[in-house]
Structure formats: structure tokens, C-alpha cells
Amino acid sequence: MNPCGSPSTLPLLGLLLESKLRSRSCFYSGRQLLRAYAERQFNAFLWISLIGVTLLLLRRVARLFRLWSEGSKLPGPPCPSFYGHCNLFSRENFSDVLSGFHERYGSIFKLWLGPTQLLVSVKDPEVVKEILLKAEDKLPLTGRAFHLAFGPSSLFRSSYDEVQKRRESLSVELNTSLLKSINVIPVTVLDSINNKITVAMAKGSANSEQISRHIAFTILGATLFGETFLTWSKASIYEKLLMSVAKDACFWASYNVTPFWRRGFWEYHSSCSKLRCLTQEIVQLCSKNRVRCCNQRSSANPKDKGLEAAYDGLACSSAMMSSSFFPDEICSILCSSEELSANIMGVMFHGYLTTAGLICNVLVRIVKHPEIQDQIYSEIVMAKKGLLKDKQNVDDMILLTATVYESARLLPAWPLLQRCSLENDLHLKCGAIIPAGAVLVVPVQLVQMDGSSWGKDATEFNPYRFLSIAQGRSVSAYHTGEAKHDHLSERSFVLNDPNENAAFLPFGSGARACVGQKFVIYGVVSLLASLLEHYEIRLKPGSETDLKLSTNNSILQLHPSPELVFIKRSD
């Protein structure tokens, strides 16, 4: 028998084989078409990517050539090497270096810090004012440092457009509702500070830097979180972590690529995580206490005004933590809001360092000028007449306020103000053009110690430069001694607005100026009035009186820190 079957089946097998071959051929041809299509799409994607990257690089090269072209028109020393003048930053006092260059090249000069980084220093007060109004952005390094340390924040980004609304809301909050209550320092806050002074005096003296930091930390913590912060057991740990993170933030942010391979970075990252957890903890604790306070008030008898007043003193007020201050209401549980923690840590960092430096500077000035301290005490006594026990009339303490202004002038918080314009060139009235991306610095020390703006005694401590004498007498009469025995009760002095002088820059100027300037000044004046009312502050015998400026964590400080003695005044 034929194994292939009958002859009639052969054509059928042929047709079947032919159909299979055709279907397989169609399959392979369709697969090839798909493969060819995918290859064409992938090649198109690669070409588009290549063109996009090329255009981006060409744009950067064009901006770099523009930076070189416009930068070369500015006066300044020639570039010594490929790395420019980066070695100048290793010197102890960069302000002295800038001072020498300003004397040689004028009020505006340039320094190349590398092939792609141009630094422009400005000293003339009017030009500084114009630049700070036009240059609204901060350096990208600043934004990276805050993001790396504290997380994403809507208050401390480099681009001004991204932070403008939040900064304006914060400014309104600080300078309206919070400013109204600044005349009254809570008793618990004063008790906490007095306890710290008592502990320090038990050892014989108090270090001016340490006591100032404690005062600033207490005041700022109580302002943000209410009196809950004063009883928080982890406040000292929070302060140490905050200082540790602030010390290393700029160093780790200076890497173009986050250095995950460095062991020190992971230790720093661990400290940031602990700080964030503690911030969330105090926010939760403050929220719970506030809810408990509101519940107690709702169940209390509204006729019992004494009880209602007592409840008013508990926890943080809604004005202190409204939605305009931070992204959400403080009364809700906000531990899941990473941006809230970043904003709080940023405000604590900035406010703590600057306020502590200002308080320390004022304390050192008044102990070195006891005659000013005596006159301030007389002013406090007069201003307190007719007021409640715990209330301070800040508006009547003009000499104390002028002393704070003068202390801030002689020793600003930061040696340099740094700004930039990320997108647009700056066209100045003097004809100079500062290209986009250039680093703008203002040597605050030089500007605030310049004799052309502050007179021949610009380097001396003289708070009366911020006061005007009414009734036709000149301000200089007091300084020369002619009116030295005038009594402040005559109300012959009026306080000048320091911001009218373009050379007054301890709080910055322009769009990026400190949003809490007025709040800080009023708070420090009110606090110092409370301290000086109860204590006479003297320099410890044998303590250093020849103080020198130094920079610690980019903050200007007087070293060595003098030892102070707080002597209780007799009632």
C-alpha cells in the first residue's frame, strides 16, 4: 500500500503545504515590518534627543559666551589661572580682600571664580539698593542646601517667583497679628530665661554667646509653637541637631552629584531625618494641646472671665500658626506634611542664628558702655509708668531701639549679601550691565562702616546716630557732650527710620529682605527691656575686652565670647 495515501490525496497535501508556507511567509514579513517600524521610531527618538541635547548645550554655550563678553566690560583684576580667584575664599576675612579691590577698581568690580562663574561685588549704597530691588533670586547652591537639609520648601527656593506669595503671606503674619502681641513677653518665657541665667550665675558668670542662643531659641520656639515648646523635653536635642545640620548643609550641597558614596553624608542625612521627626513631633504636640485647650474653653462657663483668660495663655494661638504662615492649619495633625517641616526648620534656622547674634551683640555693647545701659534703664522705668506689670511699651523705648539698630550696624549677621538674576541681565542706571547668572555680593561690613555714609565716627558705637533731637537742636550736640545730661523724659528725641539710609543692610533690602525685620526688632527690644528692668549686666572681671570678628557657620561673631555677670536689681 502506498504510505503516502491514494493518488487523489497528493494535490490536497500540496495545497496544504503551500498555504502553510504562505502563512509563514506573511508572518515573517509582518514581523519584519514591525521590527523595521520600531527601529525607525527608535532612531527618530534618538535623533530628536540628540537635537534637543545639542540645542541645550548650544544655549548654554551661548550664555557662557555672553557671560564672558559682558563680564569682560566690568572692571576687575585679571584672571590669574583657569580656576580664577577661588583661592581668595580660603583667606580668613574675605571682606578685607573685597575692600582692597574696591579701593583699586571702584564701587563695582568683578572676580572670575572659574571659567563659568563670575562674582560681582557692589559697595555704593545707591547701586546696592538698585541691585537688591532688581536681583530677586538666590544662588542655586542655597536652594540645594535647604532642600538637602530640610526637604522641599515653599519659602527658601532660589527663584523668587516660586516663593513670592508665601513670603508675602509670612510678612503679613509677622508684622500684623504677631506684632500686636509682642509688647507682652509671656511669663513662662521670662521664667525659662531667668532659670537659665540663675543656673549660669551659680557658676559665677554666663557666657554671652551661650545665653544669647538660649534666649533666641526660647523666644522663637515659643513664637512658633506656643508655650508647649517651653515644656518640651527634647528642646535641647532639637537645638543641637539644628546647629549640626546647619553647619554642614552648604558643604554637602556643594557637590554637583549627591555624594551617596561618602560615609559622612549618611551621618548628615541621619541627623536631618532626626531633626525632621522632632519637628513633626512638636507640631503634633502643639496641635493636640491646642485642641484640648479649645475643648476646655468650649465647656467652660463663658461668664468666668478669669478662667477664660487663663485658657488664652495656653498653647499656640491661631494667629501664630495660621494657614498663611505655613501650608495648612496648625490645629490639624500635620506630621505627614513634609513641606511644613521644611518651612518650620528653615524659619528656625534663619531666625535662631540671626536673633542670637543680634542679642549677643547688644549685650556686649551695653556692658562695654555702662553709661548707655544706665540711660536705657531710666528710659525703661519711665516707659513702664502706668502700664501693666508684664507689658512693655516698645514705641517709648527709643534709646534701646537705637542701641539695637547700632549694634546691628556694627556687626551684621552675615558678612555678605548674595543675590543673582537667573534669567535676565541687570541694566543699572550707572551704565553697567551685569549678565544673568553672575553672583552678586554686597560686603555688608564695608557698606555699614563707610565714613561717607555714617560720618567720621562710623567705626564707633554711637546709638544716637539713629535719633534726632527735636526743638531745633542738632543731633551732634548730644554726641559731643553738649546735651549729655538731657533727660529722656523731656521727649526731645525722636527715632529715625534706619531704612531711609541705603547703607543700612543688616536685614537686607529689596524683594529678598528679611520678612521679619520689624518683628525681630520689636521682640528683641521687648525682651531686653524685661531683662534690663530686673538685671544690671556687667562684664566679668578679667574677661576679654579686646574682641575680634570671626565667622562661624557664615555668621559674624565677636570672639572670644565675653563672660557676663547678671546682678539682680533691687525692687
Side-chain angles (χ1 to χ4, degrees):
M1 184 175 179
N2 189 352
C4 295
S6 62
S8 60
T9 61
L10 292 176
L12 294 174
L13 291 174
L15 291 174
L16 181 62
L17 289 173
E18 184 178 358
S19 64
K20 286 184 176 180
L21 291 174
R22 287 180 178 178
S23 62
R24 183 173 295 181
S25 176
C26 292
F27 172 76
Y28 281 116
S29 62
R31 189 174 181 180
Q32 290 175 352
L33 286 174
L34 289 175
R35 181 180 296 178
Y37 177 77
E39 289 179 353
R40 285 195 296 269
Q41 293 297 322
F42 184 68
N43 289 335
F45 172 75
L46 290 179
W47 275 106
I48 293 174
S49 300
L50 179 61
I51 293 173
V53 172
T54 304
L55 291 176
L56 179 63
L57 292 177
L58 288 175
R59 181 183 178 187
R60 291 192 175 184
V61 170
R63 295 187 66 175
L64 182 59
F65 275 107
R66 180 171 179 79
L67 182 70
W68 290 343
S69 174
E70 296 296 337
S72 62
K73 299 176 183 179
L74 297 173
C79 191
S81 66
F82 179 80
Y83 296 100
H85 296 85
C86 285
N87 60 330
L88 295 178
F89 284 97
S90 62
R91 299 190 183 182
E92 184 174 351
N93 194 340
F94 188 60
S95 295
D96 292 341
V97 177
L98 296 181
S99 177
F101 282 128
H102 274 297
E103 292 179 0
R104 183 175 179 181
Y105 295 103
S107 60
I108 301 178
F109 74 91
K110 71 171 186 298
L111 286 176
W112 287 103
L113 304 182
T116 62
Q117 192 169 22
L118 174 67
L119 181 144
V120 180
S121 180
V122 184
K123 182 182 176 183
D124 182 79
E126 294 302 326
V127 181
V128 167
K129 185 176 180 180
E130 181 184 1
I131 283 181
L132 294 179
L133 283 173
K134 294 180 177 180
E136 300 176 332
D137 302 321
K138 283 192 173 183
L139 303 180
L141 174 63
T142 306
R144 288 201 302 270
F146 270 95
H147 187 277
L148 190 63
F150 305 137
S153 170
S154 59
L155 285 173
F156 301 99
R157 293 172 184 160
S158 299
S159 175
Y160 180 72
D161 293 336
E162 298 178 3
V163 302
Q164 181 178 2
K165 292 183 180 179
R166 185 65 64 186
R167 283 176 56 88
E168 291 174 353
S169 299
L170 179 59
S171 177
V172 171
E173 188 69 28
L174 287 173
N175 296 318
T176 54
S177 57
L178 285 180
L179 194 64
K180 294 177 182 177
S181 59
I182 201 64
N183 280 334
V184 181
I185 300 294
V187 176
T188 51
V189 174
L190 293 177
D191 288 343
S192 176
I193 295 173
N194 288 332
N195 291 338
K196 185 70 174 181
I197 293 175
T198 302
V199 172
M201 291 310 302
K203 302 177 182 179
S205 62
N207 182 271
S208 57
E209 183 178 344
Q210 294 178 359
I211 196 67
S212 299
R213 286 185 175 182
H214 176 76
I215 292 173
F217 191 69
T218 302
I219 288 293
L220 192 60
T223 300
L224 293 179
F225 304 110
E227 297 181 10
T228 303
F229 183 80
L230 302 177
T231 58
W232 189 33
S233 60
K234 299 180 182 179
S236 59
I237 301 176
Y238 189 90
E239 181 179 1
K240 292 179 181 178
L241 279 174
L242 184 66
M243 289 303 300
S244 175
V245 169
K247 181 180 179 182
D248 299 328
C250 288
F251 172 76
W252 294 115
S254 62
Y255 283 83
N256 292 328
V257 179
T258 305
F260 297 108
W261 61 91
R262 296 286 300 273
R263 180 179 178 182
F265 171 77
W266 289 108
E267 295 175 354
Y268 169 76
H269 185 268
S270 176
S271 298
C272 294
S273 300
K274 292 178 182 178
L275 184 65
R276 190 174 295 109
C277 290
L278 286 178
T279 303
Q280 294 168 356
E281 179 180 330
I282 184 59
V283 168
Q284 277 188 309
L285 185 61
C286 179
S287 177
K288 291 178 181 179
N289 287 347
R290 184 165 180 262
V291 171
R292 187 184 304 116
C293 171
C294 294
N295 292 336
Q296 290 175 340
R297 289 189 62 180
S298 62
S299 61
N301 186 355
K303 296 181 180 180
D304 192 349
K305 295 184 179 180
L307 184 61
E308 185 176 357
Y311 288 142
D312 281 335
L314 295 176
C316 52
S317 67
S318 59
M320 289 183 178
M321 285 296 201
S322 67
S323 58
S324 63
F325 199 104
F326 293 118
D328 299 302
E329 293 286 350
I330 192 63
C331 58
S332 60
I333 304 301
L334 294 171
C335 61
S336 61
S337 177
E338 189 176 1
E339 184 177 339
L340 174 67
S341 300
N343 286 338
I344 292 177
M345 288 187 287
V347 171
M348 286 291 292
F349 166 65
H350 267 297
Y352 170 56
L353 291 179
T354 54
T355 305
L358 180 58
I359 292 174
C360 181
N361 191 16
V362 176
L363 292 178
V364 172
R365 301 294 175 183
I366 61 176
V367 297
K368 295 186 69 175
H369 297 82
E371 72 283 356
I372 296 293
Q373 185 177 169
D374 293 339
Q375 294 169 17
I376 291 175
Y377 176 69
S378 300
E379 180 183 64
I380 294 171
V381 172
M382 289 186 293
K384 287 280 290 185
K385 291 181 179 180
L387 296 178
L388 298 177
K389 181 179 178 181
D390 298 323
K391 190 172 183 179
Q392 304 288 351
N393 196 341
V394 176
D395 293 330
D396 287 342
M397 300 177 189
I398 56 175
L399 181 57
L400 179 55
T401 306
T403 301
V404 174
Y405 286 151
E406 179 69 350
S407 300
R409 182 189 71 86
L410 289 176
L411 188 64
W414 316 95
L416 301 174
L417 283 177
Q418 301 183 26
R419 296 287 188 273
C420 68
S421 178
L422 297 174
E423 299 296 335
N424 303 315
D425 295 345
L426 299 181
H427 297 263
L428 305 181
K429 295 178 181 178
C430 61
I433 300 176
I434 300 178
V439 180
L440 290 164
V441 297
V442 178
V444 183
Q445 273 186 287
L446 302 181
V447 175
Q448 296 192 155
M449 304 279 280
D450 191 0
S452 61
S453 299
W454 301 100
K456 296 180 180 179
D457 64 339
T459 59
E460 300 177 10
F461 177 76
N462 176 24
Y464 286 92
R465 73 176 75 252
F466 292 98
L467 300 179
S468 297
I469 301 179
Q471 302 172 356
R473 291 182 294 175
S474 63
V475 181
S476 59
Y478 190 96
H479 182 59
T480 57
E482 179 181 334
K484 194 169 184 178
H485 300 288
D486 282 0
H487 205 274
L488 292 173
S489 61
E490 297 177 2
R491 305 295 181 191
S492 56
F493 293 94
V494 292
L495 184 67
N496 301 326
D497 183 5
N499 294 312
E500 293 180 355
N501 189 336
F504 186 76
L505 299 169
F507 298 94
S509 181
R512 285 277 190 170
C514 176
V515 295
Q517 173 183 350
K518 193 173 182 180
F519 174 78
V520 170
I521 292 294
Y522 270 60
V524 170
V525 170
S526 183
L527 172 67
L528 291 175
S530 299
L531 285 180
L532 293 175
E533 182 184 2
H534 298 95
Y535 294 99
E536 180 183 356
I537 308 176
R538 297 179 182 175
L539 193 66
K540 180 183 178 181
S543 181
E544 292 284 347
T545 56
D546 186 16
L547 305 177
K548 297 181 180 180
L549 285 178
S550 65
T551 305
N552 185 15
N553 296 333
S554 300
I555 301 292
L556 281 175
Q557 295 177 344
L558 292 171
H559 279 286
S561 300
E563 295 291 323
L564 305 180
V565 178
F566 290 79
I567 303 174
K568 193 76 174 179
R569 295 185 188 271
S570 58
D571 295 334

